[in-house]
């Protein structure tokens, strides 16, 4: 059925997004980027891609952050263009995409305020897609209760935040708990929303969101090893969706070391390789998170690419945002490598196409 | 293949110019000037010799970067000039002194230009920073002033007690015991902050403050009438001034923080009106001071901008040209041993000597021992297509080029379009009056073309100007067909005496009788207004459309022969052209002959009613021996189908068998020729890109079969559909004459308009005639003309081009120091 009526409301936008997708940098273009000697070369090389002359008006000493900002700005413009012509339920779906950025911004601001950073500097670092009207006022709040009562109560994040109210004071650990609780609630809510959409959207988004949830679960488990976070608290932070849920989650909640985490993930075939290779590559022992994180990104890119194989579904919008974010990370990585003359590590980005 | 290219003494439009691949050796120190001069000559299209070198590794990328920087500075100037309040006149390029980019001093001049630009940039940015900080300060003061003025309303509405206390001393004493309850003095008994904020964000702030202070506040706000400048964006926005009353410095400081984080600004206000007035005076004084300073800063900045505006066009032009030159230089290969740059490019054979002369002149100017020289190459690569047009043929050629670029040296349909295009247009547009209007519209463009060409035209006029000769010819041809249709604004002209007369005693419907005369040219005016006029006109125009269409297509089909001869495909004449021609003529050619025969016979004299062409094949007796002729033609037509289908594949198969019979293959004579001619320095890439451009004989045999089958079926079907398609000549012409008749009848032709008397009648007639003329020009000539134009274009592109046009060429784009696509 969705094939019959999908195009009435979202066909145009799907076409736009698929058009945007063809502009994502290819392997050959990355190869060209990697040959660059200076950031000026990078500017020349990027102007031959879909980015066009987005850096043309920047003065000569180009900084990596400028490149990242401008690239993000392009993505934001594209997203806003799509959002402005979307109708329900796609507009709701797109709103859900922005909630993720809002959570990041909220956590960023709280952390920044806690460490007494400059408010304006913090606001500049916020992701433009996660911007909401009362966001700057977050800097005023001093405890969780106040945070919720004064600022967040009228944002879409309010229902997610309700569960965090037990946390009393704002310190680094609590902020981390808040972040993860918010994300847990967000993912579950987004997942539930995608279930209501039905059809291929549900299939595609369930796949992507399940992985997202599992990734968070594993990350929490790995990062909480050896911290003062109790196992009950840890279990509460795990999203109740994903392919590891419920038994994998249970095992992860009880895990005491990396081997037990690995054992917990055995249940899902695709996740086995995350730990196998990280051990063999040598850097796994002490800092397993670094190698793990990259593998997560690779899998995420793979899943998001799969989303484009199906038509008549909203997954492409989500997938495009994620792929483009990865691309911006890649470009920034390459630019950093050029700027810091660490050419040997330049190849460590995650290719998309 | 280019070896035997057709080369005529005078430029022709019949087929594209003979091109040759040239190699230019340029001493490095003269490279820049050489490229500039070649760019002004516009005869060479450079080929990229560094295809496998990425853009930022090429030799002149440093120069390009430098140019990009300069371009950025100039762009910044332009935006500053545009942003400045009050217009600054920018001197146009034509009136500016030229900036010579060649010669011995060019390098130095250019370096100086860069320094000048940097100096201007530094100066301007300093002034701009100054100016902006001053104006930000001024905006802040203005905001405070507005806040003070507008807040008076708020304070007066509030009736604050302390102010009452202060103004009357006795009460103050009475309230002494009250005051003791509060440790602070009366002024801080009620704490408040005041501020301004974007009007749209005020509700959000109000909600936020309410929640933040848990409802312990009183907030009042009013709008500031005059728009203020937002410090962050520089846009003018409307703002609100608000006052928040609450208890305790803690709460107020949080409110202050919240306001600031929401983008509002805190304004220091005092409860006491007199103090506020004093503050207002002080601020007014500071505003005046600031305005004076700002004014002088702005005027110095303006004078700086004026200096820049004086030569900004020249700078833009120089940078643009330099960029093109260096981009071209990047296409060249650098020969380390000989310290020369090697360029390759396509050049029309006719212009090679001019290019040589230019190169020699460059060498002489540089007073160098070696001057750049040009060397002709022999190649198998497909040259680009170049039709040398002039101002007259250019319009027609661009119509045909819009369809596709002709293959190198194939017959150019653009030549014939010069006549056929306006003619087919006129068949559909035939009306003397409309034709005259059209011609008169184009005439001034033609007569004053020199003057108009100097103007900068906007996008709507430019296409008309480029197509001025097309429009002129369309108008003239329409006048001609108008005479044939005897149609002027849907009326007729009685130039000669009619061949019909009305019987003297008739009333109501009468039947005209012949008087033996034949109207010498065009349609007899007696048909106008006749009851059966439409029947007659339809029959005439429909048949005429078929005859014209078949003639046009036959002509287009014949153009194949030249292509077959030109490209050494002699067998195609027998396997393609001949059966196609026979097929087409035996069906549609015969139809035309019948039409002409039917017209030429006086059926009244023959004593029988004219036979219907529709039934001709079935039973109508038309002429003696008809049955035999028709059956023969039909047999020929059917025989042509297998001929078209099989002959060409068979020949190819036969050729292949002959070639593959011996166990060795014949060397391509062209290829060996090239190898012998090439010099030792030619790198491998030459050969690699020669292969895909080559003849490409190795197509599979089944490919040939399928291609030929499709081609045959398509041709047979298209004969029918294309002939039917030419009926649009009839349909459009009919629609056009009907529209103009209806327009006449509804306006000037109305009884009430024609018979109205007196002054009102005259005025009414004038108004109606003006309206009629307006609709005639706007609707019938412009809109109808455009639609007719599109139909004429379609007949050329689809129906005629399909018969012969191959269109696999690449257009010739000579290197020039001006570009249409301004993407830099």
């Amino acid at each position: 059925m969705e094939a019959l009526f999908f195009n009435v409301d979202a066909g145009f936008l799907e076409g736009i997004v698929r058009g945007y997708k063809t502009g994502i940098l290819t392997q050959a273009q990355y190869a060209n980027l990697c040959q660059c000697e200076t950031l000026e070369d990078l500017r020349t090389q990027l102007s031959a891609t879909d980015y066009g002359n987005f850096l043309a008006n920047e003065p000569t000493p180009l900084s990596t952050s400028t490149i990242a900002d401008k690239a993000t700005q392009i993505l934001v413009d594209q997203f806003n263009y799509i959002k402005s012509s979307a109708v329900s339920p796609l507009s709701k779906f797109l709103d859900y995409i922005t909630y993720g950025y809002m959570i990041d911004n909220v956590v960023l601001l709280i952390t920044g305020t806690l460490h007494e950073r400059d408010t304006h500097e913090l606001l500049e670092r916020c992701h433009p897609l996660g911007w909401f009207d009362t966001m700057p006022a977050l800097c005023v709040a001093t405890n969780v209760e106040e945070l919720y009562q004064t600022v967040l109560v009228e944002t879409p994040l309010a229902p997610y935040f309700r569960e965090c109210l037990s946390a009393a004071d704002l310190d680094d650990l609590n902020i981390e708990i808040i972040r993860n609780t918010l994300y847990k609630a967000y993912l579950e809510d987004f997942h539930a929303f995608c279930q209501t959409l039905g059809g291929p959207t549900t299939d595609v988004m369930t796949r992507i969101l399940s992985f997202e949830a599992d990734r968070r679960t594993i990350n929490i488990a790995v990062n909480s090893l050896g911290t003062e976070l109790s196992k009950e608290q840890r279990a509460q932070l795990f999203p109740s969706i994903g392919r590891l849920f419920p038994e994998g989650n249970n095992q992860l909640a009880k895990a005491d070391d990396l081997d037990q985490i690995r054992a917990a993930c055995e249940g899902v075939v695709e996740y086995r390789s995350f730990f196998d290779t990280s051990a063999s590559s040598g850097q796994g022992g002490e800092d397993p998170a670094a190698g793990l994180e990259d593998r997560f990104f690779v899998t995420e890119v793979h899943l998001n690419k799969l989303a484009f194989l199906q038509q008549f579904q909203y997954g492409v919008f989500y997938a495009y945002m994620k792929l483009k974010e990865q691309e911006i990370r890649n470009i920034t990585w390459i630019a950093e490598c050029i700027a810091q003359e660490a050419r040997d590590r330049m190849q460590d980005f995650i290719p998309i196409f | 293949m280019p070896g035997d290219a057709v080369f005529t003494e005078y430029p022709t439009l019949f087929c594209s110019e003979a091109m040759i691949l040239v190699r230019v050796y340029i001493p490095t120190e003269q490279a820049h000037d050489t490229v500039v001069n070649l760019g002004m000559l516009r005869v060479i299209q450079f080929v990229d010799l560094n295809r496998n070198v990425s853009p930022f590794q090429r030799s002149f990328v440093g120069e390009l970067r430098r140019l990009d920087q300069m371009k950025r500075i100039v762009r910044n100037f332009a935006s500053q000039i545009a942003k400045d309040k009050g217009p600054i006149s920018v001197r146009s390029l034509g009136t500016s002194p030229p900036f010579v980019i060649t010669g011995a001093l060019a390098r130095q001049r250019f370096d100086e230009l860069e320094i000048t630009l940097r100096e201007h940039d530094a100066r301007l940015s300093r002034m701009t920073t100054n100016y902006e900080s001053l104006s930000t300060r001024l905006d802040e003061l203005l905001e405070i002033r507005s806040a003070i003025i507008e807040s008076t309303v708020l304070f007066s509405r509030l009736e604050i007690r302390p102010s009452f206390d202060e103004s009357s001393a006795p009460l103050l004493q009475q309230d002494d015991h009250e005051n003791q309850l509060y440790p602070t003095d009366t002024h801080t008994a009620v704490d408040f902050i005041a501020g301004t904020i974007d009007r749209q964000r005020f509700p959000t702030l109000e909600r936020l403050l309410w929640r933040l202070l848990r409802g312990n506040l009183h907030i009042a706000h009013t709008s500031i009438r005059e728009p203020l400048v937002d410090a962050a964006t520089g846009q003018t926005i409307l703002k609100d001034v608000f006052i928040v009353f609450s208890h305790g410095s803690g709460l107020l400081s949080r409110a202050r923080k919240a306001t600031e984080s929401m983008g509002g600004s805190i304004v220091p206000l005092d409860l006491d009106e007199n103090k506020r007035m004093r503050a207002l005076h002080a601020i007014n004084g500071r505003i005046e001071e600031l305005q004076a300073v700002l004014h002088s800063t702005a005027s110095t900045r303006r004078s700086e901008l004026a200096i820049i505006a004086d030569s900004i066009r020249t700078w833009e032009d120089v940078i643009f040209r330099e960029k093109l030159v260096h981009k071209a230089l990047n296409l060249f290969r650098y020969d380390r041993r000989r310290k020369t740059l090697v360029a390759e490019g396509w050049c029309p054979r006719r212009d090679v000597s001019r290019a040589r002369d230019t190169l020699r002149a460059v060498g002489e100017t540089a007073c160098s021992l070696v001057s750049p020289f040009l060397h002709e190459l022999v190649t198998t690569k497909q040259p680009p297509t170049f039709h040398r047009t002039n101002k007259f043929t250019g319009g027609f050629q661009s119509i045909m080029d819009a369809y596709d670029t002709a293959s190198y040296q194939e017959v150019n349909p653009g030549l014939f379009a010069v006549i056929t295009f306006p003619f087919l247009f006129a068949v559909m547009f035939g009306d003397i009056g409309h034709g005259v209007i059209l011609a008169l519209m184009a005439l001034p463009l033609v007569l004053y073309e020199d003057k108009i060409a100097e103007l900068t035209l906007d996008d709507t006029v430019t296409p008309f100007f480029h197509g001025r000769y097309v429009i002129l010819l369309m108008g003239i041809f329409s006048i001609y067909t108008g005479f044939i249709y005897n149609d002027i604004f849907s009326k007729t002209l009685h130039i000669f005496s009619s061949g019909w007369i009305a019987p003297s005693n008739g009333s109501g419907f009468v039947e005209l009788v012949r008087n033996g005369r034949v109207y010498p040219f065009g349609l007899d005016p007696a048909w106008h207004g006749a009851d059966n006029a439409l029947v007659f006109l339809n029959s005439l125009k429909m048949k005429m459309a078929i005859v014209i269409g078949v003639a046009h297509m036959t002509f287009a089909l014949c153009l194949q022969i030249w292509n077959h001869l030109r490209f050494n495909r002699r067998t195609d004449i027998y396997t393609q052209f001949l059966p196609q021609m026979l097929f087409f003529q035996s069906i549609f050619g015969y139809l035309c002959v019948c039409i002409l025969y039917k017209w030429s016979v006086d059926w009244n004299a023959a004593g029988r009613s004219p036979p219907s062409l529709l039934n001709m094949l079935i039973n109508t007796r038309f002429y003696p021996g008809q049955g035999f002729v028709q059956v023969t033609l039909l047999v020929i037509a059917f025989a042509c189908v297998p001929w078209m289908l099989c002959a060409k594949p068979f020949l190819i198969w036969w050729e292949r068998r002959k070639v593959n019979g011996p166990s060795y293959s014949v060397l391509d004579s062209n290829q060996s020729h090239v190898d012998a001619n090439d010099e030792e320095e030619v790198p491998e890439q030459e050969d690699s890109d020669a292969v895909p451009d080559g003849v490409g004989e190795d197509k599979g045999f089944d490919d040939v079969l399928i291609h030929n089958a499709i081609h045959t079926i398509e041709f047979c079907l298209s004969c029918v559909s294309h002939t039917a398609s030419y009926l649009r000549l009839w349909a459009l012409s009919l629609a056009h004459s009907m529209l103009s008749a209806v327009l006449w009848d509804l306006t000037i032709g109305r009884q009430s308009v024609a018979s109205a008397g007196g002054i009102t009648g005259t005025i009414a007639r004038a108004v109606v005639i003006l309206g009629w003329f307006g609709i005639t020009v706007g609707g019938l000539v412009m809109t109808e003309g455009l639609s007719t134009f599109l139909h004429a274009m379609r007949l050329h592109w689809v129906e005629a081009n399909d018969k012969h046009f191959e269109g696999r060429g690449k257009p010739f784009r000579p290197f020039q120091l001006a570009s249409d696509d301004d993407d830099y």
Side-chain angles (χ1 to χ4, degrees), chain B residues 296-312:
Chain B
S296 68
T297 317
S299 67
T300 35
R301 187 165 167 272
R302 269 182 67 85
S303 60
E304 174 75 16
L305 280 178
I307 296 170
I308 292 171
D310 202 38
S311 37
I312 189 166

Side-chain angles (χ1 to χ4, degrees), chain A residues 32 35-38 40-41 43-45 56-60 133-134 136-137 139-140 146 149-151 153-154, chain B residues 54-57 61 65 68-69 72 75 200-201 204 207-208 211-214 254 257-258 260-262 823-824:
Chain A
N32 279 338
Q35 288 175 10
C36 295
E37 300 282 341
T38 64
E40 282 305 305
D41 289 345
R43 188 207 308 241
T44 318
Q45 201 55 262
N57 276 338
E58 298 303 319
T60 2
D133 251 358
T134 51
C139 306
V140 183
E146 211 174 65
Q149 290 298 346
T150 57
V151 184
V153 71
E154 64 175 25
Chain B
S54 58
F56 61 87
Q57 288 168 336
V61 75
R65 283 235 174 92
D68 274 342
Q69 283 304 318
R72 192 181 57 77
R75 211 162 35 212
Q200 286 169 342
R201 302 181 80 167
T204 322
R207 277 204 307 281
L208 186 73
R211 285 197 304 268
L212 198 65
L213 308 181
R214 292 162 209 269
R254 295 181 67 184
K257 218 172 155 192
E260 275 164 359
S261 69
M262 289 293 292
D823 58 341
Y824 307 103

